[in-house]
PDB file of all heavy atoms in Angstrom:
ATOM      1  N   CYS A 138     149.480  56.404  82.525  1.00 93.00           N
ATOM      2  CA  CYS A 138     150.429  56.839  81.714  1.00 93.00           C
ATOM      3  C   CYS A 138     150.462  58.424  81.512  1.00 93.00           C
ATOM      4  O   CYS A 138     150.778  59.007  80.434  1.00 93.00           O
ATOM      5  CB  CYS A 138     150.283  56.169  80.300  1.00 93.00           C
ATOM      6  SG  CYS A 138     150.428  54.469  80.250  1.00 93.00           S
ATOM      7  N   GLN A 139     150.116  59.072  82.584  1.00 97.00           N
ATOM      8  CA  GLN A 139     150.101  60.465  82.653  1.00 97.00           C
ATOM      9  C   GLN A 139     151.486  60.940  83.151  1.00 97.00           C
ATOM     10  O   GLN A 139     152.184  60.236  83.920  1.00 97.00           O
ATOM     11  CB  GLN A 139     148.992  61.189  83.598  1.00 97.00           C
ATOM     12  CG  GLN A 139     147.631  60.760  83.042  1.00 97.00           C
ATOM     13  CD  GLN A 139     147.234  61.205  81.601  1.00 97.00           C
ATOM     14  OE1 GLN A 139     147.129  62.354  81.470  1.00 97.00           O
ATOM     15  NE2 GLN A 139     147.069  60.286  80.710  1.00 97.00           N
ATOM     16  N   LYS A 140     151.743  62.246  82.939  1.00 97.00           N
ATOM     17  CA  LYS A 140     152.975  62.891  83.702  1.00 97.00           C
ATOM     18  C   LYS A 140     152.651  64.226  84.071  1.00 97.00           C
ATOM     19  O   LYS A 140     151.806  64.903  83.466  1.00 97.00           O
ATOM     20  CB  LYS A 140     154.172  62.827  82.681  1.00 97.00           C
ATOM     21  CG  LYS A 140     154.002  63.592  81.398  1.00 97.00           C
ATOM     22  CD  LYS A 140     155.267  63.484  80.537  1.00 97.00           C
ATOM     23  CE  LYS A 140     155.145  64.314  79.201  1.00 97.00           C
ATOM     24  NZ  LYS A 140     156.310  64.213  78.390  1.00 97.00           N
ATOM     25  N   ALA A 141     153.268  64.721  85.198  1.00 98.00           N
ATOM     26  CA  ALA A 141     153.032  65.979  85.749  1.00 98.00           C
ATOM     27  C   ALA A 141     154.095  66.958  85.430  1.00 98.00           C
ATOM     28  O   ALA A 141     155.379  66.605  85.753  1.00 98.00           O
ATOM     29  CB  ALA A 141     152.922  65.736  87.238  1.00 98.00           C
ATOM     30  N   LEU A 142     153.786  68.008  84.857  1.00 98.00           N
ATOM     31  CA  LEU A 142     154.740  69.147  84.613  1.00 98.00           C
ATOM     32  C   LEU A 142     154.448  70.339  85.464  1.00 98.00           C
ATOM     33  O   LEU A 142     153.406  70.877  85.605  1.00 98.00           O
ATOM     34  CB  LEU A 142     154.600  69.625  83.181  1.00 98.00           C
ATOM     35  CG  LEU A 142     154.957  68.609  82.124  1.00 98.00           C
ATOM     36  CD1 LEU A 142     154.717  69.176  80.705  1.00 98.00           C
ATOM     37  CD2 LEU A 142     156.513  68.302  82.220  1.00 98.00           C
ATOM     38  N   GLY A 143     155.470  70.831  86.144  1.00 98.00           N
ATOM     39  CA  GLY A 143     155.347  72.063  86.936  1.00 98.00           C
ATOM     40  C   GLY A 143     155.408  73.247  86.025  1.00 98.00           C
ATOM     41  O   GLY A 143     156.099  73.182  85.014  1.00 98.00           O
ATOM     42  N   VAL A 144     154.595  74.155  86.303  1.00 98.00           N
ATOM     43  CA  VAL A 144     154.614  75.449  85.546  1.00 98.00           C
ATOM     44  C   VAL A 144     155.367  76.494  86.401  1.00 98.00           C
ATOM     45  O   VAL A 144     154.944  76.758  87.442  1.00 98.00           O
ATOM     46  CB  VAL A 144     153.140  75.896  85.272  1.00 98.00           C
ATOM     47  CG1 VAL A 144     153.177  77.260  84.398  1.00 98.00           C
ATOM     48  CG2 VAL A 144     152.311  74.860  84.533  1.00 98.00           C
ATOM     49  N   LEU A 145     156.376  77.091  85.752  1.00 98.00           N
ATOM     50  CA  LEU A 145     157.182  78.109  86.435  1.00 98.00           C
ATOM     51  C   LEU A 145     157.139  79.383  85.704  1.00 98.00           C
ATOM     52  O   LEU A 145     157.117  79.471  84.505  1.00 98.00           O
ATOM     53  CB  LEU A 145     158.648  77.588  86.591  1.00 98.00           C
ATOM     54  CG  LEU A 145     158.873  76.186  87.293  1.00 98.00           C
ATOM     55  CD1 LEU A 145     159.227  75.245  86.255  1.00 98.00           C
ATOM     56  CD2 LEU A 145     159.892  76.299  88.375  1.00 98.00           C
ATOM     57  N   ASP A 146     157.152  80.441  86.515  1.00 98.00           N
ATOM     58  CA  ASP A 146     157.241  81.783  85.995  1.00 98.00           C
ATOM     59  C   ASP A 146     158.426  82.481  86.641  1.00 98.00           C
ATOM     60  O   ASP A 146     158.540  82.648  87.762  1.00 98.00           O
ATOM     61  CB  ASP A 146     156.006  82.554  86.423  1.00 98.00           C
ATOM     62  CG  ASP A 146     155.811  84.001  85.821  1.00 98.00           C
ATOM     63  OD1 ASP A 146     156.793  84.272  84.917  1.00 98.00           O
ATOM     64  OD2 ASP A 146     155.006  84.749  86.046  1.00 98.00           O
ATOM     65  N   GLN A 147     159.424  82.710  85.767  1.00 98.00           N
ATOM     66  CA  GLN A 147     160.761  83.222  86.168  1.00 98.00           C
ATOM     67  C   GLN A 147     161.360  82.310  87.220  1.00 98.00           C
ATOM     68  O   GLN A 147     161.939  82.780  88.269  1.00 98.00           O
ATOM     69  CB  GLN A 147     160.581  84.661  86.781  1.00 98.00           C
ATOM     70  CG  GLN A 147     160.043  85.560  85.794  1.00 98.00           C
ATOM     71  CD  GLN A 147     160.918  85.875  84.555  1.00 98.00           C
ATOM     72  OE1 GLN A 147     162.094  85.568  84.586  1.00 98.00           O
ATOM     73  NE2 GLN A 147     160.332  86.613  83.513  1.00 98.00           N
ATOM     74  N   GLY A 148     161.109  81.005  87.090  1.00 97.00           N
ATOM     75  CA  GLY A 148     161.671  80.087  88.043  1.00 97.00           C
ATOM     76  C   GLY A 148     160.736  79.719  89.279  1.00 97.00           C
ATOM     77  O   GLY A 148     161.180  78.818  90.084  1.00 97.00           O
ATOM     78  N   LYS A 149     159.676  80.414  89.424  1.00 98.00           N
ATOM     79  CA  LYS A 149     158.847  80.148  90.587  1.00 98.00           C
ATOM     80  C   LYS A 149     157.720  79.301  90.185  1.00 98.00           C
ATOM     81  O   LYS A 149     157.035  79.547  89.116  1.00 98.00           O
ATOM     82  CB  LYS A 149     158.404  81.550  91.154  1.00 98.00           C
ATOM     83  CG  LYS A 149     157.262  81.372  92.310  1.00 98.00           C
ATOM     84  CD  LYS A 149     156.641  82.680  92.679  1.00 98.00           C
ATOM     85  CE  LYS A 149     155.658  82.459  93.815  1.00 98.00           C
ATOM     86  NZ  LYS A 149     154.950  83.786  94.186  1.00 98.00           N
ATOM     87  N   LEU A 150     157.350  78.269  91.001  1.00 98.00           N
ATOM     88  CA  LEU A 150     156.388  77.378  90.783  1.00 98.00           C
ATOM     89  C   LEU A 150     154.956  78.080  90.973  1.00 98.00           C
ATOM     90  O   LEU A 150     154.632  78.572  92.006  1.00 98.00           O
ATOM     91  CB  LEU A 150     156.356  76.145  91.605  1.00 98.00           C
ATOM     92  CG  LEU A 150     155.427  74.981  91.320  1.00 98.00           C
ATOM     93  CD1 LEU A 150     155.705  74.442  89.940  1.00 98.00           C
ATOM     94  CD2 LEU A 150     155.757  73.912  92.397  1.00 98.00           C
ATOM     95  N   ILE A 151     154.154  78.081  89.856  1.00 98.00           N
ATOM     96  CA  ILE A 151     152.852  78.843  89.915  1.00 98.00           C
ATOM     97  C   ILE A 151     151.739  77.919  89.561  1.00 98.00           C
ATOM     98  O   ILE A 151     150.583  78.267  89.552  1.00 98.00           O
ATOM     99  CB  ILE A 151     152.866  79.992  88.940  1.00 98.00           C
ATOM    100  CG1 ILE A 151     153.098  79.557  87.409  1.00 98.00           C
ATOM    101  CG2 ILE A 151     153.867  81.074  89.329  1.00 98.00           C
ATOM    102  CD1 ILE A 151     152.617  80.614  86.493  1.00 98.00           C
ATOM    103  N   GLY A 152     151.993  76.602  89.134  1.00 98.00           N
ATOM    104  CA  GLY A 152     150.855  75.673  88.710  1.00 98.00           C
ATOM    105  C   GLY A 152     151.488  74.324  88.259  1.00 98.00           C
ATOM    106  O   GLY A 152     152.680  74.130  88.259  1.00 98.00           O
ATOM    107  N   TYR A 153     150.662  73.485  87.780  1.00 98.00           N
ATOM    108  CA  TYR A 153     151.116  72.307  87.127  1.00 98.00           C
ATOM    109  C   TYR A 153     149.984  71.837  86.075  1.00 98.00           C
ATOM    110  O   TYR A 153     148.870  72.218  86.146  1.00 98.00           O
ATOM    111  CB  TYR A 153     151.309  71.121  88.198  1.00 98.00           C
ATOM    112  CG  TYR A 153     149.953  70.625  88.912  1.00 98.00           C
ATOM    113  CD1 TYR A 153     149.193  69.740  88.323  1.00 98.00           C
ATOM    114  CD2 TYR A 153     149.592  71.151  90.118  1.00 98.00           C
ATOM    115  CE1 TYR A 153     148.036  69.183  88.927  1.00 98.00           C
ATOM    116  CE2 TYR A 153     148.497  70.673  90.678  1.00 98.00           C
ATOM    117  CZ  TYR A 153     147.681  69.716  90.087  1.00 98.00           C
ATOM    118  OH  TYR A 153     146.538  69.302  90.735  1.00 98.00           O
ATOM    119  N   LEU A 154     150.502  70.932  85.170  1.00 98.00           N
ATOM    120  CA  LEU A 154     149.655  70.355  84.191  1.00 98.00           C
ATOM    121  C   LEU A 154     149.857  68.908  84.209  1.00 98.00           C
ATOM    122  O   LEU A 154     150.989  68.349  84.476  1.00 98.00           O
ATOM    123  CB  LEU A 154     149.976  70.753  82.804  1.00 98.00           C
ATOM    124  CG  LEU A 154     150.113  72.296  82.529  1.00 98.00           C
ATOM    125  CD1 LEU A 154     150.711  72.482  81.100  1.00 98.00           C
ATOM    126  CD2 LEU A 154     148.804  72.896  82.608  1.00 98.00           C
ATOM    127  N   VAL A 155     148.761  68.019  84.032  1.00 98.00           N
ATOM    128  CA  VAL A 155     148.878  66.628  83.892  1.00 98.00           C
ATOM    129  C   VAL A 155     148.637  66.415  82.449  1.00 98.00           C
ATOM    130  O   VAL A 155     147.515  66.626  81.951  1.00 98.00           O
ATOM    131  CB  VAL A 155     147.989  65.939  84.768  1.00 98.00           C
ATOM    132  CG1 VAL A 155     147.951  64.440  84.657  1.00 98.00           C
ATOM    133  CG2 VAL A 155     148.180  66.249  86.325  1.00 98.00           C
ATOM    134  N   VAL A 156     149.588  65.775  81.693  1.00 98.00           N
ATOM    135  CA  VAL A 156     149.479  65.623  80.322  1.00 98.00           C
ATOM    136  C   VAL A 156     149.792  64.126  79.992  1.00 98.00           C
ATOM    137  O   VAL A 156     150.333  63.333  80.711  1.00 98.00           O
ATOM    138  CB  VAL A 156     150.492  66.507  79.606  1.00 98.00           C
ATOM    139  CG1 VAL A 156     150.384  67.987  79.995  1.00 98.00           C
ATOM    140  CG2 VAL A 156     151.891  66.088  79.875  1.00 98.00           C
ATOM    141  N   ASN A 157     149.357  63.768  78.762  1.00 98.00           N
ATOM    142  CA  ASN A 157     149.622  62.385  78.309  1.00 98.00           C
ATOM    143  C   ASN A 157     151.030  62.253  77.710  1.00 98.00           C
ATOM    144  O   ASN A 157     151.805  63.264  77.550  1.00 98.00           O
ATOM    145  CB  ASN A 157     148.564  61.986  77.300  1.00 98.00           C
ATOM    146  CG  ASN A 157     148.567  62.885  75.957  1.00 98.00           C
ATOM    147  OD1 ASN A 157     149.237  63.829  75.997  1.00 98.00           O
ATOM    148  ND2 ASN A 157     147.776  62.574  75.020  1.00 98.00           N
ATOM    149  N   GLU A 158     151.322  61.049  77.235  1.00 96.00           N
ATOM    150  CA  GLU A 158     152.725  60.829  76.822  1.00 96.00           C
ATOM    151  C   GLU A 158     152.982  61.657  75.555  1.00 96.00           C
ATOM    152  O   GLU A 158     154.124  62.095  75.325  1.00 96.00           O
ATOM    153  CB  GLU A 158     152.952  59.433  76.526  1.00 96.00           C
ATOM    154  CG  GLU A 158     152.994  58.538  77.858  1.00 96.00           C
ATOM    155  CD  GLU A 158     153.235  57.132  77.582  1.00 96.00           C
ATOM    156  OE1 GLU A 158     152.796  56.558  76.581  1.00 96.00           O
ATOM    157  OE2 GLU A 158     153.831  56.446  78.538  1.00 96.00           O
ATOM    158  N   ALA A 159     151.976  61.822  74.687  1.00 97.00           N
ATOM    159  CA  ALA A 159     152.181  62.591  73.366  1.00 97.00           C
ATOM    160  C   ALA A 159     152.344  64.035  73.621  1.00 97.00           C
ATOM    161  O   ALA A 159     152.780  64.790  72.806  1.00 97.00           O
ATOM    162  CB  ALA A 159     151.079  62.151  72.448  1.00 97.00           C
ATOM    163  N   GLY A 160     151.690  64.388  74.823  1.00 97.00           N
ATOM    164  CA  GLY A 160     151.873  65.849  75.105  1.00 97.00           C
ATOM    165  C   GLY A 160     150.766  66.728  74.442  1.00 97.00           C
ATOM    166  O   GLY A 160     150.611  67.956  74.525  1.00 97.00           O
ATOM    167  N   ASP A 161     149.789  66.032  73.857  1.00 98.00           N
ATOM    168  CA  ASP A 161     148.638  66.874  73.199  1.00 98.00           C
ATOM    169  C   ASP A 161     147.310  66.743  73.926  1.00 98.00           C
ATOM    170  O   ASP A 161     146.287  67.155  73.396  1.00 98.00           O
ATOM    171  CB  ASP A 161     148.492  66.299  71.729  1.00 98.00           C
ATOM    172  CG  ASP A 161     148.194  64.837  71.721  1.00 98.00           C
ATOM    173  OD1 ASP A 161     148.042  64.080  72.787  1.00 98.00           O
ATOM    174  OD2 ASP A 161     148.060  64.322  70.571  1.00 98.00           O
ATOM    175  N   GLU A 162     147.245  66.252  75.181  1.00 98.00           N
ATOM    176  CA  GLU A 162     146.177  66.329  75.935  1.00 98.00           C
ATOM    177  C   GLU A 162     146.476  66.678  77.445  1.00 98.00           C
ATOM    178  O   GLU A 162     147.344  66.059  77.978  1.00 98.00           O
ATOM    179  CB  GLU A 162     145.394  64.920  75.898  1.00 98.00           C
ATOM    180  CG  GLU A 162     144.090  65.003  76.687  1.00 98.00           C
ATOM    181  CD  GLU A 162     143.211  63.733  76.434  1.00 98.00           C
ATOM    182  OE1 GLU A 162     143.498  62.920  75.538  1.00 98.00           O
ATOM    183  OE2 GLU A 162     142.223  63.584  77.138  1.00 98.00           O
ATOM    184  N   ILE A 163     145.758  67.724  77.949  1.00 98.00           N
ATOM    185  CA  ILE A 163     145.898  68.150  79.271  1.00 98.00           C
ATOM    186  C   ILE A 163     144.679  67.627  80.103  1.00 98.00           C
ATOM    187  O   ILE A 163     143.637  68.171  79.913  1.00 98.00           O
ATOM    188  CB  ILE A 163     146.048  69.739  79.373  1.00 98.00           C
ATOM    189  CG1 ILE A 163     147.274  70.178  78.541  1.00 98.00           C
ATOM    190  CG2 ILE A 163     146.198  70.185  80.741  1.00 98.00           C
ATOM    191  CD1 ILE A 163     147.362  71.713  78.482  1.00 98.00           C
ATOM    192  N   ALA A 164     144.932  66.722  80.990  1.00 98.00           N
ATOM    193  CA  ALA A 164     143.915  66.090  81.722  1.00 98.00           C
ATOM    194  C   ALA A 164     143.569  66.898  83.004  1.00 98.00           C
ATOM    195  O   ALA A 164     142.577  66.764  83.469  1.00 98.00           O
ATOM    196  CB  ALA A 164     144.198  64.599  82.078  1.00 98.00           C
TER     197      ALA A 164
END
Side-chain angles (χ1 to χ4, degrees):
C138 300
Q139 302 295 294
K140 61 180 180 180
L142 292 175
V144 181
L145 301 108
D146 186 5
Q147 305 292 347
K149 178 186 176 183
L150 187 60
I151 64 168
Y153 68 81
L154 306 178
V155 177
V156 303
N157 63 351
E158 291 182 328
D161 59 0
E162 182 169 351
I163 301 175

